[in-house]
Amino acid sequence: MPKINDRYPASAHKRVSDWLTNGFTGLDREMTQAETPPAAPSAEAAGQAEDAFQEKARRDRERESDLYARLHHWSVTRGERQARLLYRFLAVIVCGGIVFFLLRTVSALPALGRVDAPVNNEVSYRYISRGPEETGAVNFVSGMILDYRAFDTLGESSVLFLASCAVMMLLRLDRDDAKGPVPSPLSLTGGDLHGDDILRASSLVLFPVIALFGAAVVLNGHSSPGGGFAGGAILGGALMLLSNAAGEERVSRLITERRASLAIFTALLFYAGAKSVVFYTGANGIPLDIPLGEPFSILSAGLILPLDMCVGLIVALTMYGFYRLFTKGGY
Amino acid sequence: MAALFSDHLYEAAAMLLFGVGFTTLLLNRNLLKKIIGLNVMDTAVYLFLASMGYIEGRFPPILREGVTDASAYVNPVPAGLVLTGIVVSVSVTALLLALTVRLYERFRTLNIDEIVLLARKGEK
Amino acid sequence: MAPVQNVPFVSILLCMVCALLCAVLPGKAARFLARAVPGLICLGNLALTFAFRDLEPFHYPMGHFPAPWGNELRAGPLEAVCSAALALTAFLSLNAGMRKVRQQIPERKQNLFCVVTLMTLCAVCALLYTNDLFTGYVFIEISTLSAAALIFSRQDDRSLAASLRYLVMNLTGSGLCLMGISMLYGITGQLNMESIRQSLAAAEGPPSLPLRAVMVLLTVGLSIKCGLFPFHEWLPDAYAYSTPASSALLSSVVSKGYLFLLIKFYMRCVGLEAVRASGLATALSSLAGLGLLIGSLHAIRQWDLRRMISYSSVAQISFVFLAVGLCTPEAMTAAVFHMLVHAFGKSMLFLSASGLSDVSGGRFDADSLQGAGKRHFAAGAAFTLGAVSMTGVPLLGGFLSKIYLSQAAIATSGPLSAAVLLLLALSTFLNTLYFLHAVVGIYRPGPLETPPRRATGAGYLVSLCLMMAVNLYLGTASASLYSTLLRGISLFA
Amino acid sequence: MNLLACLLLAFLLVCAVSVSFTRSLLGSIILLMTYSVVMSVLWILLRSPDLALTEAAVGAGVTGILFFAALARLRAVDRAAKNGGKGATHAEDQ
């Protein structure tokens, strides 16, 4: 089996081992300082108790570090290689077992591509036969995800919204806690913000084409392959290209933090609101007739077109937001 | 064995890809490669799900002008489910990468065992 | 459709819309929403529970298309009681922990923390009510992402590392779940749970190989996410190093959503006989037995109070899996009852531990916590009540759940019941070792000087007292709760 | 038709396996993007053009760019550390 060349890196290994063997290097001194309890009031009794406490804490740390040192010594000399080899061997065995078990199950599944597979039952039959007249969407998949099984797709958009909030929690540099102007951790194009000429020139040429294609995919979601998710991702890519071409601060003046979060908020609110009206009326038997228009035209398929536009906007701004959070720490 | 690959081609390949992704996740200690392993595993499960709906010799699930007979199209349900799955795996990858960047800024290493060791040492 | 029958739909959509609102509102308003919305949902579900006295379980189609074509929710007395209880836990833990949230989470990111808590509650309500497996998978993903965000919200070294390990293991788990769901779709062609049951009932005889594979995949996937014994490495760090409010939410609300989905899958899709016939039940019971012992043994060894409580959480989760492994309706009722007892007890333990550490210099190790119970009366009382309830002392919830489980175990004949009873006794003994040791520790006369006392807010004290009241209710007056659960389980399949 | 599917699936397997054998992180990311492009061709073979478009746009496009941005951010941390004089463990040799 070719050697997996993820050797244990010498440099990091040295830093960890010298921390273990001879006490604390610079990195760790300030970390342990942060952990010591605040000083007690200056009364004499409190002073002695404090010293006793410090003494005991220091002895604890001594005992702890030589325990680590002994563990480390064993692992470096003999245990590490065996432990790692055993772990790798076990991992390969477990994965092999899982794959064998799954392959055996697959061979017992109904054959692929046959007409009589249990999957082709009345559920998929109705999506195809009565899909166009019930949802107005010519693309059965868009009709299914935005009308028949709309609750999954609503959960789907909230997964995307939740991920953008979580990444914002991690990577957004807030003005006040970063003293002074927010240092851009990096701009992909290195020093100057406009990047080298090839990227800039090609982006200026390519951006309108990609943006147009993305918009077309979003708008034709119900009558051709594509839809909110695919079109949104293409538009997100186009925005990233634009921020490289026209320079990051000019684009961030156009799409500011406030505007982007408000746009995502309104799109998601409209999406959740429209869908909860449909769910409520459907469950309580209140008839709700939305004009479906005639198939193959853009203004057809009732709610699916506005929902596709909302999903496209949400996906585009979220993907662009991810990119800006990684490169600049904010919109 | 031959029957497995003749009438279960996509599903068997999906299971193999799942195994390879899982092995990449377990064996590599570099965090970015673990995330790539996770992506490979997710895509393998989606291939398995999407191959359920495939029917030989039928049109893709978009209504054509002349063809109105329902038995001329492929089953659209798995396509819709996998569409949801792909966007889930993008958001999960973004979150994992954000965590990796924050941990690298703090511990300057991408080796997950070292991160846990240094984090635990910090708590004394 | 009576208006009260809209409660499941409203509680999910209300959480989602308020989570959207929190993202754009400033910190103060977002914190108010995060505290108020769980209370609203608890009241709504309580009303639904009382309505179920004379109401039959009903289906709530989401949209204009009936079950196998569109998504649908199914509400019964069991789902209503559990979502009311979990919403109440979330309400109390968020109110108690909001003080620490303001201190530990960066100022401009607190509204994002509120978004994440509301999304967790929305995911758990959806997991309780859904009747469609793929909707279950989507809300499993939402629950995983929001739990990871809860863990790293404190943004210090240990919580970031813990959240990364949590994510990597749980995403493998949800990958296995999706594999199971797609295989089940492959052999039945349905995604709705009742339609799956009908198409599976058509194939008589012992469960076929793909069906057994589906059961194994879903069980392994969901037990990775609940932290059952062999897959629990991520649990102690994840619960110990996040803010008290989020560790209370994680231990009591998030893991219960996955457990409930697994019970629903066993009872509604596959049927308990098939689970017993496929040998999965004995595997689950043995893993749970091991988890019970190893979780308790680890808890004894811990020197950090929060890690001790997290390892006891591993033991309690395997207690519930032990009950699920018996595969009889009484055992399932005991499992759900213990889920609620564990939810209330564990969140109280985490929040009282944070109160105790406030008065002992912000440290959690046993030496500095000495005498903390005397310095902070409410936190000491709450910690004692929670610890004693977990060990199973009468007048508290743990005692009743152990009785219900032993009744269920005796009812099932065979070697399994003897093993379960033995494990019950052993786990009670081990629980007393580490919990009473901690309780005695916090009341032992402490060091001479008392570290500066950090002021604790009124909201913290009130919610702690409410939690103590609920735990006492669970121990003493919970006969009506148990009968509702029993009726719910009988109507559940 | 089946031969093309077998070829593409074999290529997918080779891509997935070689991710853990390449030395450079950049190489493994590019392998992931080719994996995703070939997967979108496979979706077309499976008669689901929606998935092909989404997989290409989301898998190869956005995920790839996110990986590049994260890698560039790690390099920036190294550069900042190197200018700052502290010892730098280069992300490359992890």
Side-chain angles (χ1 to χ4, degrees), chain C residues 282-328:
Chain C
T282 44
L284 264 182
S285 305
S286 45
L287 278 183
L290 272 174
L292 210 57
L293 300 182
I294 288 190
S296 311
L297 289 178
H298 267 294
I300 297 168
R301 212 168 53 85
Q302 294 307 322
W303 53 270
D304 180 334
L305 192 60
R306 293 170 302 179
R307 281 177 71 83
M308 185 194 82
I309 303 174
S310 322
Y311 271 111
S312 98
S313 180
V314 170
Q316 302 296 332
I317 288 282
S318 23
F319 185 99
V320 177
F321 270 98
L322 198 64
V324 168
L326 288 174
C327 280
T328 64

Side-chain angles (χ1 to χ4, degrees), chain A residues 53-311:
Chain A
F53 187 79
Q54 286 294 359
E55 182 54 30
K56 193 175 162 331
R58 203 184 46 71
R59 249 200 341 281
D60 276 357
R61 274 200 287 282
E62 243 63 37
R63 196 160 40 77
E64 203 66 38
S65 63
D66 78 82
L67 173 73
Y68 264 99
R70 274 209 309 282
L71 168 74
H72 177 69
H73 181 69
W74 172 80
S75 72
V76 165
T77 49
R78 272 193 327 285
E80 179 104 8
R81 274 182 309 285
Q82 275 79 358
R84 206 146 37 82
L85 278 179
L86 180 66
Y87 169 75
R88 283 169 186 277
F89 181 71
L90 273 183
V92 171
I93 294 292
V94 163
C95 293
I98 290 175
V99 170
F100 174 73
F101 164 71
L102 289 176
L103 282 178
R104 203 160 63 89
T105 321
V106 156
S107 60
L109 278 176
L112 181 81
R114 291 281 162 51
V115 182
D116 56 3
V119 173
N120 314 319
N121 47 21
E122 75 287 355
V123 177
S124 62
Y125 182 78
R126 173 169 178 175
Y127 287 148
I128 296 173
S129 58
R130 295 174 53 194
E133 86 246 13
E134 277 177 347
T135 62
V138 163
N139 179 352
F140 306 132
V141 176
S142 291
M144 189 193 86
I145 59 173
L146 282 171
D147 221 334
Y148 284 105
R149 299 182 61 90
F151 189 44
D152 293 351
T153 319
L154 183 61
E156 175 47 44
S157 310
S158 43
V159 166
L160 208 64
F161 167 71
L162 187 62
S164 79
C165 287
V167 171
M168 231 184 265
M169 263 166 109
L170 279 170
L171 292 182
R172 190 178 66 186
L173 299 172
D174 292 326
R175 294 297 176 275
D176 34 53
D177 58 19
K179 301 336 167 260
V182 174
S184 144
L186 110 157
S187 86
L188 259 189
T189 54
D192 61 355
L193 286 178
H194 289 287
D196 57 11
D197 301 336
I198 303 168
L199 180 63
R200 200 156 48 79
S202 57
S203 306
L204 284 179
V205 168
L206 278 178
F207 169 71
V209 176
I210 297 178
L212 207 60
F213 174 61
V217 165
V218 168
L219 290 177
N220 288 315
H222 51 286
S223 51
S224 77
F229 294 117
I234 297 167
L235 281 174
L239 283 177
M240 294 178 200
L241 208 58
L242 180 70
S243 82
N244 272 326
E248 285 178 355
E249 84 294 329
R250 203 181 302 162
V251 175
S252 65
R253 267 204 305 275
L254 170 69
I255 305 174
T256 62
E257 168 89 26
R258 198 76 200 128
R259 283 191 200 135
S261 53
L262 272 182
I264 290 182
F265 168 67
T266 39
L268 262 172
L269 200 63
F270 171 78
Y271 186 18
K275 270 303 145 187
S276 44
V277 164
V278 171
F279 294 155
Y280 184 81
T281 51
N284 294 314
I286 305 161
L288 175 77
D289 46 7
I290 304 165
L292 294 184
E294 22 87 28
F296 292 107
S297 75
I298 284 209
L299 283 178
S300 74
L303 259 180
I304 290 185
L305 179 62
L307 290 184
D308 253 342
M309 287 198 285
C310 285
V311 169

Side-chain angles (χ1 to χ4, degrees), chain C residues 56-80:
Chain C
E56 279 309 306
F58 57 92
H59 292 271
Y60 192 93
M62 297 292 262
H64 290 265
F65 306 105
W69 292 282
N71 301 104
E72 71 161 8
L73 306 178
R74 181 190 184 282
L78 188 72
E79 291 104 323

Side-chain angles (χ1 to χ4, degrees), chain C residues 239-253:
Chain C
Y239 288 0
Y241 299 133
S242 39
T243 50
S246 52
S247 39
L249 268 180
L250 280 164
S251 60
S252 53
V253 173

